[in-house]
Coordinates of all heavy atoms in Angstrom, one line a residue:
M1149 N -4.8 4.9 17.3 CA -4.4 4.8 16.0 C -3.0 5.2 15.9 O -2.6 6.3 16.4 CB -5.3 5.7 15.1 CG -5.0 5.7 13.7 SD -6.3 6.5 12.8 CE -5.3 7.2 11.5
E1150 N -2.1 4.5 15.2 CA -0.8 4.8 15.1 C -0.5 5.7 13.9 O -1.3 5.7 12.9 CB 0.0 3.5 14.8 CG 0.1 2.6 16.0 CD 0.9 1.3 15.7 OE1 1.8 1.4 14.9 OE2 0.7 0.3 16.3
T1151 N 0.5 6.6 14.1 CA 0.9 7.5 13.0 C 1.8 6.8 12.0 O 2.8 6.2 12.5 CB 1.5 8.7 13.6 OG1 0.7 9.3 14.5 CG2 1.8 9.7 12.4
S1152 N 1.5 6.8 10.8 CA 2.4 6.1 9.8 C 3.6 6.9 9.6 O 3.7 8.1 9.8 CB 1.7 5.9 8.4 OG 1.5 7.2 7.8
P1153 N 4.8 6.2 9.3 CA 6.1 6.9 9.1 C 6.0 8.0 8.1 O 6.8 8.9 8.1 CB 7.0 5.8 8.8 CG 6.4 4.5 9.1 CD 4.9 4.8 9.1
S1154 N 5.2 7.8 7.1 CA 5.2 8.9 6.0 C 4.5 10.1 6.5 O 4.6 11.2 5.8 CB 4.5 8.3 4.8 OG 3.2 7.9 5.1
R1155 N 3.8 10.1 7.6 CA 3.1 11.3 8.1 C 3.9 12.0 9.2 O 3.4 13.1 9.7 CB 1.7 11.0 8.6 CG 0.8 10.5 7.5 CD -0.5 10.3 8.0 NE -1.3 9.7 6.9 CZ -2.5 10.2 6.5 NH1 -3.0 11.2 7.1 NH2 -3.1 9.6 5.5
T1156 N 5.0 11.5 9.7 CA 5.7 12.2 10.7 C 6.7 13.2 10.1 O 6.9 13.2 8.8 CB 6.5 11.1 11.5 OG1 7.4 10.5 10.7 CG2 5.6 10.2 12.1
A1157 N 7.4 14.0 10.9 CA 8.3 15.0 10.4 C 9.5 14.2 9.7 O 10.0 14.7 8.7 CB 8.8 15.8 11.6
G1158 N 9.9 13.1 10.3 CA 11.0 12.3 9.7 C 10.6 11.7 8.3 O 11.4 11.6 7.4
G1159 N 9.3 11.4 8.2 CA 8.8 10.9 6.9 C 8.8 12.0 5.8 O 9.1 11.7 4.7
A1160 N 8.6 13.3 6.2 CA 8.6 14.4 5.3 C 10.1 14.6 4.8 O 10.3 14.9 3.6 CB 8.1 15.6 5.9
V1161 N 11.0 14.4 5.7 CA 12.4 14.5 5.4 C 12.8 13.5 4.4 O 13.5 13.7 3.4 CB 13.3 14.5 6.6 CG1 14.8 14.5 6.3 CG2 13.0 15.7 7.5
V1162 N 12.4 12.2 4.6 CA 12.7 11.1 3.8 C 12.1 11.4 2.4 O 12.8 11.1 1.3 CB 12.2 9.8 4.3 CG1 12.4 8.7 3.3 CG2 13.0 9.5 5.6
T1163 N 10.9 11.8 2.3 CA 10.2 12.1 1.0 C 10.9 13.2 0.3 O 11.2 13.1 -0.9 CB 8.7 12.5 1.3 OG1 8.1 11.4 2.0 CG2 8.0 12.8 0.0
T1164 N 11.4 14.2 1.0 CA 12.1 15.3 0.3 C 13.4 14.8 -0.2 O 13.8 15.2 -1.3 CB 12.4 16.5 1.3 OG1 11.1 16.9 1.8 CG2 13.1 17.6 0.7
L1165 N 14.1 14.0 0.6 CA 15.4 13.5 0.1 C 15.3 12.5 -1.1 O 16.1 12.6 -2.0 CB 16.1 12.7 1.2 CG 16.7 13.6 2.4 CD1 17.2 12.8 3.5 CD2 17.7 14.6 1.8
L1166 N 14.2 11.8 -1.1 CA 13.9 10.9 -2.2 C 13.6 11.8 -3.5 O 14.1 11.4 -4.6 CB 12.7 10.0 -2.0 CG 13.0 8.8 -1.1 CD1 11.7 8.1 -0.7 CD2 14.0 7.8 -1.8
W1167 N 12.9 12.9 -3.4 CA 12.6 13.7 -4.5 C 13.9 14.4 -5.0 O 14.1 14.5 -6.2 CB 11.6 14.8 -4.1 CG 10.2 14.4 -4.3 CD1 9.3 14.1 -3.3 CD2 9.5 14.1 -5.6 NE1 8.1 13.7 -3.9 CE2 8.2 13.7 -5.3 CE3 9.9 14.2 -6.9 CZ2 7.3 13.4 -6.3 CZ3 9.0 13.8 -7.9 CH2 7.7 13.5 -7.6
L1168 N 14.7 14.8 -4.1 CA 16.0 15.4 -4.5 C 16.9 14.4 -5.2 O 17.5 14.7 -6.3 CB 16.7 16.0 -3.3 CG 16.1 17.3 -2.7 CD1 16.8 17.7 -1.5 CD2 16.0 18.4 -3.7
A1169 N 17.0 13.2 -4.7 CA 17.8 12.2 -5.3 C 17.2 11.8 -6.7 O 17.9 11.6 -7.7 CB 17.9 10.9 -4.4
F1170 N 15.9 11.7 -6.8 CA 15.2 11.4 -8.1 C 15.6 12.5 -9.1 O 15.9 12.2 -10.2 CB 13.7 11.4 -7.9 CG 12.9 11.3 -9.2 CD1 13.0 10.2 -10.0 CD2 12.2 12.4 -9.6 CE1 12.3 10.1 -11.2 CE2 11.6 12.4 -10.8 CZ 11.6 11.2 -11.6
L1171 N 15.4 13.8 -8.7 CA 15.8 14.8 -9.7 C 17.2 14.9 -10.1 O 17.5 15.1 -11.2 CB 15.3 16.2 -9.1 CG 13.8 16.4 -8.9 CD1 13.6 17.7 -8.1 CD2 13.2 16.4 -10.2
A1172 N 18.1 14.6 -9.1 CA 19.5 14.6 -9.4 C 19.8 13.4 -10.4 O 20.6 13.6 -11.4 CB 20.4 14.5 -8.2
G1173 N 19.3 12.3 -10.1 CA 19.5 11.1 -10.9 C 19.0 11.3 -12.4 O 19.6 11.0 -13.4
A1174 N 17.8 11.9 -12.4 CA 17.2 12.1 -13.7 C 18.0 13.2 -14.5 O 18.2 13.0 -15.7 CB 15.7 12.6 -13.6
A1175 N 18.5 14.2 -13.8 CA 19.3 15.2 -14.5 C 20.6 14.6 -15.0 O 21.0 14.9 -16.2 CB 19.6 16.3 -13.5
V1176 N 21.3 13.8 -14.2 CA 22.5 13.1 -14.7 C 22.2 12.3 -15.9 O 23.0 12.3 -16.9 CB 23.1 12.3 -13.5 CG1 24.2 11.4 -14.0 CG2 23.7 13.2 -12.5
N1177 N 21.1 11.5 -15.8 CA 20.8 10.7 -17.0 C 20.5 11.4 -18.2 O 20.9 11.1 -19.3 CB 19.6 9.8 -16.6 CG 19.4 8.7 -17.6 OD1 20.2 8.3 -18.3 ND2 18.1 8.2 -17.6
S1178 N 19.8 12.5 -18.1 CA 19.4 13.2 -19.3 C 20.4 14.2 -19.9 O 20.6 14.3 -21.1 CB 18.1 14.0 -19.2 OG 17.8 14.3 -17.9
I1179 N 21.1 14.8 -19.0 CA 22.1 15.8 -19.4 C 23.5 15.2 -19.6 O 24.4 15.8 -20.2 CB 22.2 17.0 -18.4 CG1 20.8 17.6 -18.3 CG2 23.2 18.0 -18.8 CD1 20.6 18.7 -17.2
G1180 N 23.7 14.0 -19.1 CA 25.0 13.4 -19.1 C 25.6 13.2 -20.5 O 26.8 13.4 -20.7
Q1181 N 24.8 12.9 -21.5 CA 25.3 12.7 -22.8 C 25.9 14.0 -23.4 O 26.9 14.0 -24.0 CB 24.2 12.2 -23.7 CG 24.6 11.9 -25.1 CD 23.5 11.4 -26.0 OE1 22.4 11.3 -25.5 NE2 23.8 11.0 -27.2
F1182 N 25.2 15.1 -23.1 CA 25.6 16.4 -23.6 C 26.9 16.9 -22.9 O 27.7 17.7 -23.4 CB 24.5 17.4 -23.5 CG 23.3 17.0 -24.3 CD1 22.1 16.7 -23.6 CD2 23.3 16.9 -25.7 CE1 21.0 16.3 -24.3 CE2 22.2 16.5 -26.4 CZ 21.0 16.2 -25.7
A1183 N 27.0 16.5 -21.6 CA 28.1 16.9 -20.8 C 29.3 16.1 -21.0 O 30.4 16.3 -20.5 CB 27.7 16.9 -19.3
G1184 N 29.2 15.0 -21.7 CA 30.3 14.1 -22.0 C 30.6 13.1 -20.9 O 31.7 12.6 -20.8
L1185 N 29.6 12.8 -20.1 CA 29.8 11.8 -19.0 C 29.9 10.4 -19.7 O 29.2 10.1 -20.7 CB 28.6 11.8 -18.1 CG 28.6 12.9 -17.0 CD1 27.4 12.8 -16.2 CD2 29.9 13.0 -16.2
A1186 N 30.6 9.5 -19.0 CA 30.7 8.1 -19.5 C 29.3 7.4 -19.3 O 28.5 7.9 -18.4 CB 31.7 7.3 -18.7
D1187 N 29.0 6.4 -20.1 CA 27.7 5.8 -20.0 C 27.4 5.2 -18.6 O 26.3 5.2 -18.2 CB 27.7 4.7 -21.0 CG 27.5 5.2 -22.5 OD1 27.1 6.4 -22.6 OD2 27.8 4.4 -23.4
I1188 N 28.4 4.7 -17.9 CA 28.2 4.1 -16.7 C 27.6 5.1 -15.6 O 26.7 4.7 -14.9 CB 29.5 3.4 -16.1 CG1 29.2 2.6 -14.8 CG2 30.6 4.4 -15.8 CD1 28.4 1.3 -15.1
Y1189 N 28.0 6.3 -15.7 CA 27.5 7.3 -14.8 C 26.1 7.7 -15.2 O 25.2 7.9 -14.3 CB 28.4 8.6 -14.8 CG 29.7 8.3 -14.3 CD1 30.8 8.6 -15.1 CD2 30.0 7.8 -13.0 CE1 32.1 8.3 -14.7 CE2 31.2 7.6 -12.6 CZ 32.3 7.8 -13.4 OH 33.6 7.6 -12.9
R1190 N 25.8 7.7 -16.5 CA 24.4 7.9 -16.9 C 23.5 6.8 -16.5 O 22.4 7.0 -16.0 CB 24.4 8.1 -18.4 CG 25.0 9.4 -18.8 CD 25.0 9.7 -20.3 NE 23.8 9.4 -20.9 CZ 23.6 8.7 -22.0 NH1 24.6 8.1 -22.6 NH2 22.4 8.5 -22.5
Y1191 N 24.0 5.6 -16.6 CA 23.2 4.4 -16.2 C 22.9 4.4 -14.7 O 21.8 4.1 -14.2 CB 23.9 3.1 -16.6 CG 24.0 2.9 -18.1 CD1 25.0 2.2 -18.6 CD2 23.1 3.5 -19.0 CE1 25.2 2.0 -20.0 CE2 23.3 3.3 -20.4 CZ 24.3 2.5 -20.8 OH 24.4 2.4 -22.2
L1192 N 23.9 4.8 -13.9 CA 23.8 4.9 -12.5 C 22.8 5.9 -12.1 O 22.0 5.8 -11.2 CB 25.1 5.1 -11.8 CG 26.1 3.9 -11.7 CD1 27.4 4.4 -11.2 CD2 25.5 2.8 -10.9
G1193 N 22.9 7.1 -12.8 CA 21.9 8.1 -12.5 C 20.5 7.7 -12.8 O 19.5 8.0 -12.1
G1194 N 20.3 7.0 -13.9 CA 19.0 6.5 -14.3 C 18.5 5.5 -13.3 O 17.3 5.5 -13.0
G1195 N 19.4 4.6 -12.9 CA 19.0 3.6 -11.9 C 18.6 4.2 -10.5 O 17.6 3.8 -9.9
V1196 N 19.3 5.2 -10.1 CA 19.0 6.0 -8.9 C 17.6 6.6 -9.1 O 16.7 6.5 -8.2 CB 20.0 7.0 -8.5 CG1 19.5 8.0 -7.5 CG2 21.3 6.3 -8.1
A1197 N 17.4 7.2 -10.2 CA 16.0 7.9 -10.5 C 14.9 6.8 -10.4 O 13.9 7.1 -9.8 CB 16.1 8.6 -11.8
V1198 N 15.1 5.7 -11.0 CA 14.1 4.6 -11.0 C 13.8 4.1 -9.6 O 12.6 4.0 -9.2 CB 14.5 3.5 -12.0 CG1 13.6 2.3 -11.8 CG2 14.4 4.0 -13.4
V1199 N 14.8 3.8 -8.9 CA 14.7 3.4 -7.5 C 13.9 4.4 -6.6 O 13.0 4.0 -5.9 CB 16.0 3.0 -6.9 CG1 15.9 2.7 -5.4 CG2 16.6 1.7 -7.5
C1200 N 14.3 5.6 -6.8 CA 13.6 6.7 -6.0 C 12.2 6.8 -6.4 O 11.3 7.0 -5.6 CB 14.3 8.0 -6.2 SG 15.9 8.1 -5.3
L1201 N 11.9 6.7 -7.7 CA 10.5 6.8 -8.1 C 9.7 5.7 -7.6 O 8.5 5.9 -7.2 CB 10.5 6.9 -9.7 CG 9.1 7.1 -10.3 CD1 8.6 8.4 -9.9 CD2 9.2 7.0 -11.8
V1202 N 10.2 4.5 -7.6 CA 9.5 3.3 -7.1 C 9.2 3.5 -5.6 O 8.1 3.2 -5.1 CB 10.3 2.0 -7.3 CG1 9.7 0.8 -6.5 CG2 10.3 1.7 -8.8
L1203 N 10.2 4.0 -4.8 CA 10.0 4.2 -3.4 C 9.0 5.3 -3.2 O 8.2 5.2 -2.2 CB 11.4 4.6 -2.7 CG 12.4 3.4 -2.6 CD1 13.7 4.0 -2.2 CD2 11.8 2.3 -1.8
L1204 N 9.0 6.4 -3.9 CA 8.0 7.5 -3.8 C 6.6 7.0 -4.1 O 5.7 7.3 -3.4 CB 8.4 8.6 -4.7 CG 9.6 9.5 -4.2 CD1 10.1 10.4 -5.4 CD2 9.1 10.3 -3.0
I1205 N 6.5 6.2 -5.1 CA 5.2 5.6 -5.4 C 4.7 4.7 -4.2 O 3.5 4.7 -3.9 CB 5.2 4.9 -6.8 CG1 5.3 5.9 -7.9 CG2 3.9 4.0 -6.9 CD1 5.5 5.3 -9.2
G1206 N 5.6 3.9 -3.7 CA 5.3 3.0 -2.6 C 4.9 3.8 -1.4 O 3.9 3.4 -0.7
R1207 N 5.6 4.9 -1.1 CA 5.2 5.7 0.0 C 3.8 6.4 -0.2 O 3.0 6.5 0.7 CB 6.2 6.8 0.3 CG 7.6 6.2 0.8 CD 8.6 7.3 0.9 NE 8.3 8.3 1.9 CZ 8.5 8.1 3.2 NH1 9.0 7.0 3.7 NH2 8.2 9.1 4.1
F1208 N 3.6 6.8 -1.4 CA 2.3 7.4 -1.7 C 1.1 6.4 -1.5 O 0.1 6.7 -1.0 CB 2.3 8.0 -3.1 CG 0.9 8.5 -3.6 CD1 0.4 9.7 -3.2 CD2 0.1 7.7 -4.5 CE1 -0.8 10.1 -3.6 CE2 -1.1 8.2 -4.9 CZ -1.6 9.3 -4.4
M1209 N 1.3 5.2 -2.0 CA 0.3 4.2 -1.9 C 0.0 3.8 -0.5 O -1.1 3.6 -0.1 CB 0.7 3.0 -2.7 CG 0.7 3.2 -4.2 SD -0.8 3.9 -4.9 CE -1.8 2.4 -4.9
A1210 N 1.1 3.7 0.3 CA 1.0 3.4 1.8 C 0.2 4.5 2.5 O -0.6 4.3 3.4 CB 2.3 3.2 2.4
R1211 N 0.5 5.8 2.2 CA -0.2 6.9 2.8 C -1.6 7.0 2.4 O -2.5 7.4 3.2 CB 0.6 8.2 2.4 CG 0.2 9.4 3.2 CD 1.0 10.6 2.9 NE 1.1 10.8 1.5 CZ 2.2 11.1 0.8 NH1 3.3 11.2 1.4 NH2 2.1 11.4 -0.5
R1212 N -1.9 6.5 1.2 CA -3.3 6.6 0.6 C -4.2 5.6 1.3 O -5.4 5.8 1.4 CB -3.2 6.3 -0.9 CG -4.3 6.9 -1.6 CD -4.1 6.7 -3.1 NE -5.4 6.4 -3.7 CZ -5.5 5.9 -4.8 NH1 -4.5 5.7 -5.6 NH2 -6.7 5.6 -5.3
K1213 N -3.6 4.5 1.8 CA -4.4 3.4 2.4 C -4.9 3.8 3.8 O -5.9 3.3 4.2 CB -3.6 2.1 2.6 CG -3.4 1.4 1.3 CD -2.6 0.1 1.6 CE -2.4 -0.7 0.4 NZ -1.6 -1.9 0.6
D1214 N -4.2 4.8 4.4 CA -4.7 5.2 5.8 C -6.0 5.9 5.8 O -6.6 6.4 5.1 CB -3.6 6.1 6.4 CG -2.3 5.4 6.7 OD1 -2.4 4.1 6.8 OD2 -1.3 6.0 6.9

């Protein structure tokens, strides 16, 4: 039986980095208006958060199938 990439040590690092990028993107998106950031940076932060969330859900679903 092969070990899936999400269960290896490298997979844990990728998952952690995805969570950190998600949190940073969500923070930029939500706090950006109060900090006076331009809309483009807020949109980019929100986009990063959405992409990371989709990847995290995909990793969870792949791990769940095993």
Side-chain angles (χ1 to χ4, degrees):
M1149 182 169 147
E1150 293 183 27
T1151 305
S1152 68
S1154 62
R1155 291 184 188 234
T1156 62
V1161 171
V1162 171
T1163 302
T1164 302
L1165 290 174
L1166 282 171
W1167 273 111
L1168 290 173
F1170 170 73
L1171 292 174
V1176 167
N1177 189 25
S1178 21
I1179 299 172
Q1181 182 178 4
F1182 303 112
L1185 286 177
D1187 287 342
I1188 188 71
Y1189 297 119
R1190 291 180 47 228
Y1191 296 151
L1192 287 173
V1196 166
V1198 168
V1199 168
C1200 289
L1201 186 61
V1202 168
L1203 290 173
L1204 284 165
I1205 290 171
R1207 291 176 65 80
F1208 173 76
M1209 296 303 285
R1211 192 174 53 225
R1212 204 172 141 195
K1213 284 184 181 179
D1214 290 341

